[in-house]
Amino acid sequence: MSGGRQRTLPQAWRVAGGKATEKRKEEEDEEEEDDDELLLAAAAAADPSPVGGFCAAVGSIWIYPTNYPERGYQLRMARASLLANTLVCLPTGLGKTFVAAVVMYNFYRWFPSGKVLFLAPTKPLVAQQMEACARVMGIPARHMAEMTGGTQALNRRELWATKRVFFLTPQIMVNDLSRGTCPAVEIKCLVIDEAHKALGNHAYCQVVRELSKYTNQFRILALSATPGSDTKAVQQVISNLLIAQIELCAEDSPEIQPYSHERQVEKIVVPLGEELVEIQSAYIQVLETFAGRLIKIGVLARRDIPSLTKYQIILARDQYRKNPSSQCVGMHQGIIEGDFALCISLYHGYELLLQMGLRSLFIYLFGIMDGSKGLTRTKNELGRNEDFMKLYQQLTDMFSDPLLPSTNGNVYKSKTVFENKKDFIYSHPKLRKLEEIVIGHFKSWKKGSSDQVTTESTSVDTVDTRVMIFSSFRDSVQEIADMLSRLSPVVRVMTFVGHSTGKSTKGFTQKEQLEVVKRFREGGYNTLVSTCVGEEGLDIGEVDLIICFDAQKSPVRLVQRMGRTGRRRQGRIVVILAEGREERTYNQSQSNKRSIHKAISGNKMLHFYQHSPRMIPEGINPKLHKMFITAEKYEPSNSRMLSKERRSSSLQHKSALFSCVTGQKQIHGHENWSLSPEEFEIWDRLYRIKESDGVKEPILPQTRFETLENLEEVSKHKEEAAHELSLSEWRIWQNRPFPTSMVDHSDRCYHFIGVMEMIELMRHEQNIIMDIYGGLMKFFAVTAPHSSCFCVVPNCFSMQEISLFCTLCLS
C-alpha cells in the first residue's frame, strides 16, 4: 500500500469495495498515532505490499513477442491488462489467448515466487489453452501444471508447492481455496476465460470472492467474445470480477479488419406451412384450456394466449408465491402450482413446435405420456383432455414407428429408417431449407475447387470444406443428422453433444468430444451438427459455412456461433428463422447486441471497479521491449508423465544411481545403452555385489495363497545355498523409476512402484504408532505401582487396534 492511512486487509478491502460506512471512517480518523503503527505492521503481515515479491531487476521492462506477426490491438490490450483489471472482448479467432499469454508471461517474470493462473470452464478447454499459451511464450513446461477433476487432491497439493503457472477449472480452484491447499497470497495474476459466465454464484464468482478473503494484490484478466446478453448481465460480470476497464473490438472495428476475413451473414425467414399451422392451431386450443384456468383466477395476466412464453409463466408463478391473489383464497395451493407446472410444460412444447418442428414436439410429449419425465399430474391432466389426445394421436400416427424408444434407450429405432428419401418426414419447413443450403454449398464448393485445381501442388484446404450446424436441442440435432446422412458420401455428418446423459439420449464423454473435433478438423467428417457445446472455446478448426437452425435471445450464443468461421478464409453464416415468434426473438437479440456495444463504448451506463490494485511499485514504469521468443517444443501431458515427474521429484534424494555424489549433473550413458566409464565406476564402487560381501545366491520367495494348501514343499538343501529376496530389503531400488535411455518404463513398472510407495508410507505410519505404543507402555510401567488401573495391550492385536488404543489413551 503506497501512501495514505494504512488499514488491515479486511478494512482495506471493505473500503475498496465501497462497503465502509461513514461511521467507520470517522472512527478511523480518531485513532491515535500508535494505533496507526500497529495497523501498518498488521497490514504488512497480513498481505504483502505491491512491492512484495516484485523483481526490480526484470521489472523495468515488459516483453512482447515478435515470433508472431504484431497486431496493434493485441499490443494495446496487453499493455492495458498489465496495469489494471481488464475485460478483453474480441471476436472469436482474433487472439484473446495470445493477449492472455503475454500478460501471464510478464507476471511470471516480474514475480519469481508468485503464481499465475488460467481458469477455463471445461477440461478440454483447459488442455487446449495450456497448449496455446505454451506455444506463444517461453514459459518452461517444468513450471506449468494442468489441474482438473481428474487430478487427485494429494497431487494438486504437491503441484501447488512446486509449480508456478497453472491451467485449471474454477471448481478445482474453489475446492483448493476452501481446503487451504492453494497458496492464495502467492497468486499474482488470474486469467478467466469465457468470462461472460461469471453471473450469480458461478464458480468464477466464488473464486474471486474466496481469493479476496486472503489478498487483494492480484491482477485479473477476463476474456470473452461478448461480455453478456444485455447491459445488466455485463454489469454483473464487471462487479463479480472486479473489472476496472473494458478493452473492446467490435466485429466492424477497423483495427481487426486486416486480420479477419469477411463473414457474410444471411437471415432466411421460412413460413410455417399449412401442415404446421394446422397443428399449431390445435395446440393453441389445448393451451387456452389450461392457461385459461390461471387467467380466470387472476394469477396470470390476461393476454393473447399464443403470445405467452414459458418465461412469462415462470415469472407469474414466482409472483404468485410471493403475493397470493385474493381471488384464490380458499383454493388448494397445490392445484394452482400444478396448473403452473402444466402450462410451463405445454409452452415449452409450443416453442419446440415453432422452432424445431413436429418431430421434436412428439418426442417431448411422448416423454410426458409414457411417464419417463416423471410429470404424473401433467400426464393425467392431458390424458383427460380430448383436444390434446386427438392431437397426440395424430403425431403418434405420423412418427411412432421410427421413433419408439428401443431397449437400449435410444430414441431412434434404427439408423436405416431414413435411408430412402421418401421415408424421411420433414417435420418443419426449415429442414427443407437447411438441406437445400447444404447441398448448394457442397455443389458450389466442388465447382470452385475444380476450377482452382490447375496443378498437382494444390493443397487439401482448397479442395475440402467444412460445414457446422447449430441447434439447441439434442432431438433436433439427431433429426438433422438423420436427414443429412442420406446425402452420403458427399456429406459426411456427425453429431456433437455434451456429456450429460438423459433417458432417451446418450451424451459424449470429453474424450469422445475431443475425438470428434479431431476427426472433423482432419476431414473424417465434413459436417458437424452440434448443440451449444460446440459454440464456445473448443478449437473446431476452419469452417466455411455456419448454419444456425434456431435463434437465441442472448447475443452471446450467436456471437460464439459466428466465431466458428471466417478465421483463415471467407466464411458464410446462415440463420434460418421461422416466421413469427422466432424472427422477433432474433431481431431482439441483435438490438441487445447493439445496445451492449453502445454502453461499453460510452462508459455511461456501466460502473467499473475503482480500486484495481497497482501491482508495480511506485516509481517503476516498465517499458515495452519487443523480442523474438523461442518457445520449447510442447508435448501434451498425460497422467503417466505427471506421475513419473511426481515420483522422480519426491524420491530423487533416495538414490544417487547414475549421478555423482558431489551434486554434478547427471551423466548420460552412451547411445548403445552401455554404461559410461563414470557410471560404471559408481556402480562398481557402490552397488556391485562382490564375493567378499558373503551374499548367497538370491531367489524369489515361493508364492503362497492363504486359501490354498502349498502343493509343493521347497527342499531344505536349496535354502542353505540360496538367499530368499525380500520386498523390504532393497526398498531403495523398488520405489523409484531408474533413468532410462531410448525406451521408457512400462505401465506395469509404474504400477509396481506405486504399490511400493504405498507400502513404504504404511510402514512409516506403523513405526510412528509403535513408537507411541512403546512410550505408553513405559509410562504405564512407571506409574503402575501408584495407579489403581494398569492397561496391558496383548501383542496379538492388529495395528488398527493398537492405533485405536493409543488414540483412546492419549485422549
Side-chain angles (χ1 to χ4, degrees), residues 349-393:
Y350 188 57
E351 293 175 3
L352 289 177
L353 171 66
L354 298 182
Q355 289 190 13
M356 305 299 170
L358 302 176
R359 181 178 280 107
S360 294
L361 172 63
F362 172 72
I363 295 172
Y364 177 71
L365 296 180
F366 184 86
I368 293 177
M369 300 308 291
D370 76 345
S372 62
K373 292 186 179 296
L375 304 175
T376 306
R377 185 182 184 277
T378 300
K379 172 186 175 182
N380 295 335
E381 287 280 351
L382 293 176
R384 290 193 292 265
N385 185 277
E386 184 178 348
D387 292 333
F388 174 82
M389 292 307 298
K390 182 179 178 181
L391 172 63
Y392 182 68
Q393 187 59 47

Side-chain angles (χ1 to χ4, degrees), residues 47 66 98 316 368 426 440 536 539 582 629 673:
D47 186 44
T66 59
F98 179 88
I368 293 177
Y426 293 88
E536 296 180 347
D539 184 11
E582 190 175 26
I629 293 180
W673 299 9

Side-chain angles (χ1 to χ4, degrees), residues 399-523:
F399 297 111
S400 61
D401 289 341
L403 292 176
L404 283 177
S406 58
T407 55
N408 61 4
N410 295 326
V411 170
Y412 294 91
K413 182 179 179 182
S414 172
K415 292 182 179 180
T416 62
V417 170
F418 304 121
E419 283 181 354
N420 300 322
K421 188 171 183 179
K422 63 179 182 180
D423 291 331
F424 184 81
I425 299 175
Y426 293 88
S427 64
H428 199 292
K430 292 200 300 181
L431 288 170
R432 291 186 184 274
K433 179 58 67 174
L434 185 148
E435 185 181 48
E436 176 186 327
I437 294 170
V438 171
I439 293 174
H441 172 79
F442 279 102
K443 283 184 177 179
S444 62
W445 191 272
K446 183 178 181 181
K447 181 180 179 181
S449 300
S450 61
D451 294 340
Q452 293 180 12
V453 179
T454 56
T455 61
E456 295 182 358
S457 61
T458 303
S459 65
V460 177
D461 288 338
T462 61
V463 180
D464 210 355
T465 181
R466 304 285 187 278
V467 175
M468 195 162 184
I469 303 167
F470 287 101
S471 183
S472 298
F473 298 97
R474 288 189 183 185
D475 295 330
S476 175
V477 165
Q478 186 62 55
E479 181 180 15
I480 294 171
D482 289 333
M483 178 185 71
L484 296 180
S485 65
R486 300 174 303 121
L487 305 177
S488 179
V490 176
V491 179
R492 303 185 299 277
V493 66
M494 181 62 186
T495 59
F496 187 57
V497 299
H499 62 272
S500 61
T501 299
K503 294 184 178 180
S504 61
T505 55
K506 182 180 180 182
F508 286 11
T509 64
Q510 288 172 328
K511 287 185 178 180
E512 290 172 337
Q513 290 178 11
L514 292 175
E515 180 63 25
V516 170
V517 169
K518 178 183 176 183
R519 294 187 64 179
F520 182 65
R521 283 200 305 260
E522 296 174 351

Side-chain angles (χ1 to χ4, degrees), residues 1 9 12-14 16 47-48 50 85 185 187 211-219 242 609 611-615:
M1 300 178 186
L9 175 61
W13 190 243
R14 283 196 293 271
D47 186 44
N85 293 351
V185 294
I187 295 174
L211 201 54
S212 300
K213 294 178 182 179
Y214 299 93
T215 176
N216 64 347
Q217 294 298 327
F218 59 93
R219 174 68 66 242
L242 311 179
Y609 182 60
H611 302 276
S612 183
R614 178 180 174 87
M615 303 297 295

